[in-house]
Amino acid sequence: MLKESGMSWLLVSFPLSSRIMRISPTRSVRAFPWPVLKSIVTRASSLKHQAGETSETALQYPVHTFASGATNSMRGAAYLSGLLNAVVCDIGGTSTDIGALVSGFPRESSTHIKVGEVRTNFRMPDVMSIALGGGSIVNCTGKTVTVGPLSVSYRLPVEAQVFGGSTLTATDVAVAAGFYELGDRSKVKAAEGVIDAALEEIHAMIEALIDKMKLSAGDIPVVLVGGGSILIDQNRSVKGVSYFVRPQHFDVANAVGAALSQVSGTVDLVASLVETSRSAALESARQQAVRLAVEAGATPESVQIVQIEDIPLTYLPGSATRIKVKAVGDLPRLSASLAVVEELLKECNLAAVITDLPRSQSPSSSAAANDCVEGNGLVTARTLDTLLVEKAVVKATAASSAALPADWTPTVIDGEWLLSEHDVECIAIGAGIMGCGGGGNPYIGKLGALHQLKLGRRLRVISPDSVTGGNVCIVLFMGAPLVCIEKLFSSEIQSAFEAVKEILCSGQYSYPNLESDLDVKKENGVKYIENFPRDFYKCSEKDNDVVTALMPAEIGGLNSFMPLVVAAELDLPVVDADGMGRAFPELQMFTPFIYRDQYAPSCVSDENGVREVVLQADTPKELENHYRAICVNQGCMSGVCLTPIPAEEVCRVTVKYSMSRAWRLGQAVMEARVNHRHPVDTIMEHENAVLLIAGKIVDVQRRITGGFTRGHVDVEGFGEHDGHLLHVEFQNEYLIATMQTGGKTSEVKACVPNLIMMVDTDTGEPVNTDEVRYGLRVSVLSAASAPQIRTPEALKVVSPQAFGYNHVEYVERTDYVEYGSVVQT
């Protein structure tokens, strides 16, 4: 590859991302620092000993070598201020980064980080940024004063008025207000009222940013660091701030944080669990990771395990499992003299760059501040800030508050709910929570729905009460949710739907027979046709009234969105109902199969369009077993179209208004974030749920067997749940939760068919079984299920006994909250 491309270096990224779907963005971000790092390592060989890494390791994993500036600043702020729990505001020359300290460490984003709106697999702190810094240019247009987003950047010592320049900057404003002594205050020239207006704008921007970072409504201390922190008046009252702290040496907090950096040891291996136990394999990996961290320079007493993952590799023999363990420790305190530091700087060819630049390079007037043409010496906010975390500029104006999700009203026209991007986001959150960990990752389905909107197609939802003719088809993904991480969907579901529609439109099907010369087989209570032809029947416009709508099989995760995606392509509506009121792992748990006795025709398809049609099934369990075997052969990912439901039976055999329920739940969570209510409290209120535990995941075991993702999650409580351990078992979905207190015998706290929901404690985002991992801060809740799956008929297939928990007695919860359809309200 190097020879053909003419390139001089090649990076391999798969070791950095354990999930294939995220290797590409990981690779792109990782490649940027490599040339710079190669130059530094080559020139400064002595640095490798103090960094705790060999030069070979640094070059192999450059993205692991440099800590983010925001992380360094937050750790430095914690050290200098002595505060363990606070918001850190790091204001530099061009931008402001804000993050939260939890127990002295930067709060990590518990779920996923986006870089340039691309989802990655990096573990990063939860940071927001805006274009506000000491070099931000102050402009006055009429009566409006703005600060930024343009900045003089590194030219501050030349361009700022306090240094004799002609550009009014945020630093000039702070000096003129008496916040700091710098340069010559008498040189600051501004129209009357501009300084006060600029100060108001600066503090409004900071207030809005702090408000976005907070997770609760109470006031919180804010630590100001960075050279640009002189812009903030410590004595000023700011909403949401209990008090400001600007510690000694605030301007070098980033360097202090870098000096406090840690080193790690990572073990990533594939183990066979045939010859050893899982616990023994994990313990061996732990010991290796600790040893590597110590060898890298960490003090033994400071090393702790921060990451543990074990992922079953079903495509390898011998119960192969990928095990990844990471240990982190502190470096010993270094007492390098100034001479040593200067020698290192010389060896790296690094030196101070603030010099007296030629006056001819500076813009001659404030009008130049509006010029963004490259080469004028100015730096736009976009080039510096938008690759960090959030959108560009946060303004504390009435316009921003008008766009809050709380003000959102769904669009309903002629009895159809037309979903918007915001509606899709709400449904993704709500369906993810209601899915009880299963149903497939809602993120993938959300992307598919948003893509349909970008193509100009409509996502239409109708009330089940308005379905008056034809048939409603049920489409879904079948398989193990864990597989979705490694394999993307294609046209499996569309292919299965087309086969069922062709059978219905042909007029040749009369249950349980199809009038054709195709080879029909029967075994294990199922009558079927293999390799169903793609040209069996060509549907026309006269067949449009045969299938009038689609419906999700479950209102959980990915399967909530697949009918919307397929329906958008066909310009069909989706019924505001489903067959479970949550997610379940098997087909016999589908309410139309519980309350109807017809289970065909139906179809299963793979991504290549290879379809098998079932003409008759004696029981839904036999249909489940038949399709599950095919699904395993198709790589644990298949598209399915189930037996169509006549329009007149939809309301009788389904859980009505479940799409609306998911939307309302997601909307409530989004409103809670905006209003700084605790999202977990909001979920509890919306679903009449009870909190089982709030804590940290300390163990995860997953395996793919029989086409399902099975395993358990252990959550160790903290706060009021300290000393409690919740053990949650799952089969695609969370099935049973048992609590152990002080090493005593476990007590069942929740079980199917009640909902067991695991969410991120800080954000309320759902945590699916395919994404649980060591160290996540989660809350586990339980809520009542829909009445349709609590009847005696339903309990035969969804009770704990149906999943093999014969010793568990189901205790019915009747505090289920009914919500109507968005379409009708």
Side-chain angles (χ1 to χ4, degrees), residues 81-103:
S81 69
L83 295 177
L84 299 180
N85 297 283
V87 166
V88 175
C89 189
D90 178 16
I91 308 178
T94 61
S95 63
T96 295
D97 296 333
I98 189 167
L101 285 172
V102 178
S103 299

Side-chain angles (χ1 to χ4, degrees), residues 437-744:
N441 195 317
Y443 174 74
I444 302 171
K446 181 184 75 172
L447 291 182
L450 293 176
H451 180 64
Q452 295 299 321
L453 290 176
K454 289 180 181 178
L455 293 176
R457 294 170 178 161
R458 298 183 299 170
L459 303 178
R460 303 156 54 198
V461 178
I462 61 174
S463 170
D465 306 292
S466 65
V467 182
T468 57
N471 295 279
V472 175
C473 278
I474 298 90
V475 293
L476 67 144
F477 142 76
M478 185 179 194
L482 192 61
V483 175
C484 296
I485 296 173
E486 302 286 340
K487 182 181 178 183
L488 289 174
F489 271 98
S490 181
S491 57
E492 300 95 328
I493 294 178
Q494 292 90 328
S495 175
F497 167 75
E498 289 168 0
V500 172
K501 184 178 179 181
E502 289 168 15
I503 291 173
L504 295 178
C505 295
S506 70
Q508 301 175 34
Y509 180 75
S510 178
Y511 183 82
N513 300 312
L514 181 67
E515 295 179 7
S516 73
D517 55 1
L518 298 174
D519 183 28
V520 178
K521 299 181 178 180
K522 185 170 183 178
E523 62 182 17
N524 299 322
V526 177
K527 186 177 179 180
Y528 62 96
I529 300 174
E530 288 183 333
N531 298 318
F532 190 76
R534 298 191 64 83
D535 57 352
F536 175 76
Y537 178 82
K538 186 175 181 180
C539 299
S540 61
E541 290 185 7
K542 68 180 180 66
D543 301 311
N544 288 346
D545 60 349
V546 175
V547 176
T548 55
L550 301 184
M551 188 186 85
E554 56 188 359
I555 193 66
L558 170 66
N559 274 332
S560 304
F561 283 105
M562 297 318 298
L564 289 168
V565 173
V566 176
E569 296 178 355
L570 302 172
D571 196 24
L572 287 174
V574 173
V575 179
D576 187 5
D578 79 304
M580 297 178 181
R582 47 161 295 162
F584 276 124
E586 300 187 34
L587 295 180
Q588 72 273 17
M589 301 165 185
F590 180 53
T591 54
F593 286 172
I594 295 173
Y595 301 114
R596 295 182 73 228
D597 58 1
Q598 186 170 333
Y599 320 120
S602 63
C603 179
V604 62
S605 176
D606 68 4
E607 70 272 18
N608 299 314
V610 178
R611 308 184 292 185
E612 179 174 309
V613 167
V614 168
L615 303 177
Q616 179 188 11
D618 293 343
T619 67
K621 178 59 176 177
E622 288 170 328
L623 178 67
E624 158 68 29
N625 293 341
H626 185 77
Y627 275 174
R628 190 67 58 175
I630 295 172
C631 178
V632 171
N633 291 333
Q634 292 178 348
C636 290
M637 179 182 286
S638 303
V640 174
C641 180
L642 295 178
T643 311
I645 306 173
E648 61 273 15
E649 293 197 44
V650 170
C651 290
R652 181 180 71 86
V653 300
T654 65
V655 179
K656 297 198 298 182
Y657 317 137
S658 50
M659 188 78 72
S660 293
R661 186 185 192 90
W663 179 86
R664 286 191 172 94
L665 177 56
Q667 172 77 352
V669 171
M670 293 184 73
E671 288 180 13
R673 295 173 185 169
V674 171
N675 298 323
H676 301 296
R677 290 194 61 203
H678 202 296
V680 175
D681 292 340
T682 298
I683 297 170
M684 293 170 63
E685 179 181 314
H686 191 274
E687 294 296 315
N688 259 352
V690 296
L691 179 64
L692 302 181
I693 197 169
K696 182 181 78 170
I697 295 177
V698 294
D699 187 38
V700 179
Q701 181 175 356
R702 271 185 299 241
R703 64 190 186 281
I704 299 178
T705 58
F708 301 103
T709 300
R710 303 175 191 263
H712 72 257
V713 183
D714 288 342
V715 181
E716 188 176 73
F718 50 59
E720 63 180 281
H721 301 281
D722 190 29
H724 298 272
L725 181 74
L726 189 71
H727 179 81
V728 184
E729 298 185 11
F730 57 82
Q731 177 186 326
N732 285 9
E733 287 78 30
Y734 301 118
L735 302 179
I736 185 170
T738 57
M739 184 76 77
Q740 189 178 69
T741 304
K744 297 180 180 179

